[in-house]
Amino acid sequence: MSAVMNDTDKVELFAEDARAHGIELLVPDVNRSNYRFEPVDGKSIRYGLGAIKGTGEAAIASIVDARKQGPFTDLFDFCHRVDKRLVNRRVVESLIRAGAFDSVNDHRASLLATVGVALESAEQASRAVPGSPGAGA
């Protein structure tokens, strides 16, 4: 599935085949998924964040790197910790629409309505701390 991540139709075809063989495809998750699809155990595969349209490898690398400090607690925490030069509004909105924030907050409409405020808050915080990701320094 990782080999065809950029082709939504092929990903869906492989996902259907996996389900037909008793393998569960777990939803994407900002706190668990990596760039590629990955087996979790013998019966489930975690959806790769890189397969979500509107994301990119550099943005996902920033998310995975920021996650090393611990799981994201909410959208504001996420926006404060990732590199805003790589993880922009379009990426965050794509992740929300794909359900990658459902483990943090499953109210997608409220998350989408809050993206601008969360990103602006993160930008203000990064400008206040020279050398932080997205500080422009």
Side-chain angles (χ1 to χ4, degrees):
M1 288 169 61
S2 292
V4 296
M5 283 193 321
N6 295 326
D7 187 335
T8 307
D9 292 334
K10 286 186 180 177
V11 168
E12 185 56 34
L13 181 67
F14 285 124
E16 288 175 19
D17 187 54
R19 284 190 285 272
H21 287 89
I23 297 173
E24 181 183 12
L25 184 59
L26 303 173
V27 296
D29 187 335
V30 293
N31 281 322
R32 293 184 184 92
S33 296
N34 290 309
Y35 182 75
R36 299 188 176 283
F37 291 86
E38 295 182 347
V40 175
D41 54 36
K43 290 290 181 187
S44 58
I45 298 171
R46 175 71 59 191
Y47 202 94
L49 295 177
I52 299 170
K53 286 188 182 213
T55 65
E57 195 163 0
I60 303 307
S62 174
I63 293 167
V64 171
D65 188 52
R67 192 172 65 204
K68 291 176 183 172
Q69 301 168 24
F72 300 110
T73 57
D74 58 29
L75 181 61
F76 284 83
D77 178 44
F78 176 88
C79 290
H80 280 263
R81 289 168 45 193
V82 298
D83 186 338
K84 273 72 67 195
R85 296 169 294 187
L86 302 172
V87 183
N88 58 28
R89 182 183 190 114
R90 182 181 64 119
V91 171
V92 176
E93 288 176 348
S94 294
L95 291 168
I96 292 169
R97 285 188 184 99
F101 278 92
D102 286 1
S103 66
V104 175
N105 179 344
D106 64 353
H107 298 285
R108 294 180 192 175
S110 66
L111 285 171
L112 286 168
T114 311
V115 170
V117 175
L119 287 169
E120 181 57 33
S121 171
E123 278 298 320
Q124 288 178 359
S126 68
R127 284 193 295 264
V129 180
S132 65

